[in-house]
Amino acid sequence: MQHTPERRRRTALALSAALIAGAVALPGAAEAVGQLALDQHGGAQRHQGDQTRSVQQEIERAGAKNVILLIGDGMGDSEITIARNYQYGAAGRLPGLDALPLTGSYTTYSVVKDGADKGKPDYVTDSAASGSAWATGTKTYDGAISVDVDGKQQQTLLELAKANGLRTGDVSTAEIQDATPAVQVAHVGARSCYGPDTASCGTDALQNGGLGSISEQLLNTRPDLTLGGGSASFQQTAKAGQWQGSTLFDQAEQRGYQVVSDADGLAAVRRADQSKPLLGLFTPGNFPTRYAPTTATVGGADQVPVQCTPNPARLSTGLSLQSLTNKSIDLLNRDRAKSGKGFFLQVEGASIDKQDHAADACGQIGETIDFDEAVQAALAFAKKDGNTLVIATADHAHSSQIVDNTPPTSLSTALRTADGTTMKVSYGTSAAGSSQQHTGTQVRIAAYGPGAANVVGLSDQTDTFFTIRDGLDLHEDLAALSRGARVDLSVGAPRPGQRVTLTGSRFAGDRQVRVAVGSTDLGTVDVIDGTATVEWKATPGKSTITFTGVQSGKQASKQVRVR
């Protein structure tokens, strides 16, 4: 059900009253009073005066033209606090995350796939199930990419945004096939199904009758821009289908993608749309981290505190998450006044999680700072634009903890913070050399712009799907979106052997169509801005030309007689 303007008005008023009554803290007003030392009366105070008016001013009715969803993978409250303490001090602020004015928490649990507990809570999620939750509005099992517990495909925000005419983007510092970016563009039962060579694809593989690997489905979903790592999977060769025998890179170029692999190539791109979608893959795997790694050890927090140092392997600043975010916004927002349509962009800071798994304090801190800079970029655009909803959150919490004393059995690290004092960070969920575990606690969600008040209080990850769907007024009925589909010929009365262009138009709800002339299958064709074209060599006789929407199932046909 879509929210009516009156319902939105009542919701905004109710949220305003709840915020005021609950004395919700407004990070945007979080400035220390005067220059008092922290140990003085009021020296650590972040707010100046009553915050009621400030909170009221931040509440805008839902109805954004654009949405930028930023995901800090594994970025629980501990990870945020550790990064803030280290980089800015205990009384400092993260300029992006802490500037978002409306804040809440959401639950992150997944559900059990099968057995007696099927559909019941699995209290600690992975990135695949959690990402699927906000991408589709449906809880699922760990490892699943935008399918439900029975394996049924669930439409994603990016797919719906595209079907409704918005521009779309998917950005990550991980391999673009990794769980968080994958949930917007693919539907597989196993998150490890990266490319055609991946054995775990099982029935999802093209040669087994499935939709193909994540990389292959990404090409079919055709976002206007895709930026990240993971070029290795695109060097693999399709095992079935009309692109069989071609590498995924070759396929991308033949399907009109602009493929870039470095900062200079990205800087040279001036447009990214359905005619020329952008595929930027800058590393074979994940991006290198901002800071060189540290190693937590048993008793490590009793050692001399360390300071983080730059990672010499880090990519150029032109490929920082902040730069990728700015470039994406620039490309997606281009010509918006002419088209009248907005955009949906998902941006992931991926390696907060990956370095937390490795008990690497400096690694995770640097990635949190990188992510915060991306939030700053999104927020700066939203404030200038006035029609953009920015949401920043995490997929799940992780295991790093700020502790008072060095744990006797857990891995730990001592860090010298911006305050000039020591912060002890502990990792207590796995032994040295093993991967630290996710945790099941709720995580922060914060927002700015039209509809931002919908994140306030306690929500679930799935609520984020509905906040964005309703805020952008996205319609989920793909068949209805392709209802006006039709078929046209470039030649009204073709002669035998004549080359004829067949055009299927108004297929807004589809990303591909299957084309047949009589019993002759002409293959699957990409839909670009609602239109698909294919060449046909006319054969004598009377035939029916049929275009069938792959996603909507909508059919459009036309009779042709070749004399």
Side-chain angles (χ1 to χ4, degrees), residues 174-179 181-182 191 194-195 214-215 229-231 233-234 281:
E175 295 164 302
I176 205 65
Q177 306 86 356
D178 204 7
R191 60 180 288 179
Y194 274 25
I214 293 168
S215 298
S231 61
S233 294
F234 279 80
L281 300 177

Side-chain angles (χ1 to χ4, degrees), residues 135-458:
T136 70
T138 305
K139 289 283 189 185
T140 192
Y141 60 91
D142 289 357
I145 298 292
S146 294
V147 296
D148 67 13
V149 290
D150 295 316
K152 182 180 178 181
Q153 297 173 42
Q154 303 293 297
Q155 295 180 91
T156 75
L157 284 168
L158 191 147
E159 291 169 341
L160 289 173
K162 181 178 175 182
N164 282 265
L166 278 70
R167 292 186 176 182
T168 57
D170 197 7
V171 177
S172 179
T173 56
E175 295 164 302
I176 205 65
Q177 306 86 356
D178 204 7
T180 300
V183 297
Q184 294 292 355
V185 299
H187 307 270
V188 294
R191 60 180 288 179
S192 58
C193 179
Y194 274 25
D197 293 346
T198 309
S200 64
C201 289
T203 57
D204 289 318
L206 280 177
Q207 62 268 32
N208 295 327
L211 295 176
S213 65
I214 293 168
S215 298
E216 291 167 298
Q217 290 189 52
L218 186 160
L219 293 177
N220 288 339
T221 301
R222 203 176 177 93
D224 293 289
L225 64 87
T226 305
L227 305 175
S231 61
S233 294
F234 279 80
Q235 294 171 349
Q236 296 175 19
T237 300
K239 303 292 188 291
Q242 66 193 87
W243 304 101
Q244 183 175 357
S246 296
T247 70
L248 302 195
F249 271 131
D250 288 341
Q251 180 185 153
E253 290 181 345
Q254 291 178 56
R255 295 173 76 170
Y257 279 83
Q258 303 172 82
V259 179
V260 299
S261 59
D262 55 29
D264 289 342
L266 179 61
V269 175
R270 293 292 177 264
R271 59 177 285 201
D273 52 30
Q274 285 302 288
S275 296
K276 298 183 68 177
L278 172 60
L279 179 63
L281 300 177
F282 308 106
T283 52
N286 303 315
F287 283 17
T289 58
R290 179 186 190 122
Y291 289 149
T294 52
T295 303
T297 59
V298 175
D302 281 336
Q303 304 302 311
V304 175
V306 300
Q307 291 183 294
C308 302
T309 58
N311 182 2
R314 188 189 184 200
L315 301 181
S316 70
T317 55
L319 296 176
S320 70
L321 191 58
Q322 182 181 47
S323 294
L324 296 183
T325 302
N326 278 324
K327 183 69 173 182
S328 297
I329 292 170
D330 177 62
L331 291 172
L332 294 176
N333 193 53
R334 192 160 294 188
D335 299 327
R336 194 181 83 188
K338 185 185 300 183
S339 68
K341 293 288 188 177
F343 65 81
F344 170 72
L345 171 64
Q346 179 177 291
V347 176
E348 182 200 23
S351 287
I352 305 167
D353 169 84
K354 298 180 191 306
Q355 304 317 309
D356 217 326
H357 277 300
D360 175 2
C362 280
Q364 77 182 54
I365 288 169
E367 297 312 286
T368 307
I369 300 304
D370 265 10
F371 178 74
D372 189 71
E373 290 174 349
V375 175
Q376 292 175 53
L379 189 55
F381 169 76
K383 288 183 175 180
K384 182 179 179 180
D385 175 70
N387 292 297
T388 299
L389 171 62
V390 174
I391 300 176
T393 188
D395 52 355
H396 55 74
H398 224 301
S399 53
S400 59
Q401 295 289 323
I402 304 169
V403 296
D404 194 21
N405 298 303
T406 302
T409 58
S410 300
L411 305 179
S412 61
T413 299
L415 296 165
R416 180 70 69 186
T417 71
D419 294 314
T421 57
T422 299
M423 176 173 62
K424 296 184 177 184
V425 179
S426 172
Y427 300 88
T429 61
S430 290
S434 299
S435 179
Q436 300 299 313
Q437 300 180 44
H438 299 170
T439 61
T441 187
Q442 63 195 38
V443 298
R444 181 200 289 199
I445 179 170
Y448 168 87
N454 287 299
V455 309
V456 171
L458 179 64

Side-chain angles (χ1 to χ4, degrees), residues 123-138:
Y123 295 107
V124 182
T125 188
D126 79 336
S127 296
S130 60
S132 297
W134 75 68
T136 70
T138 305

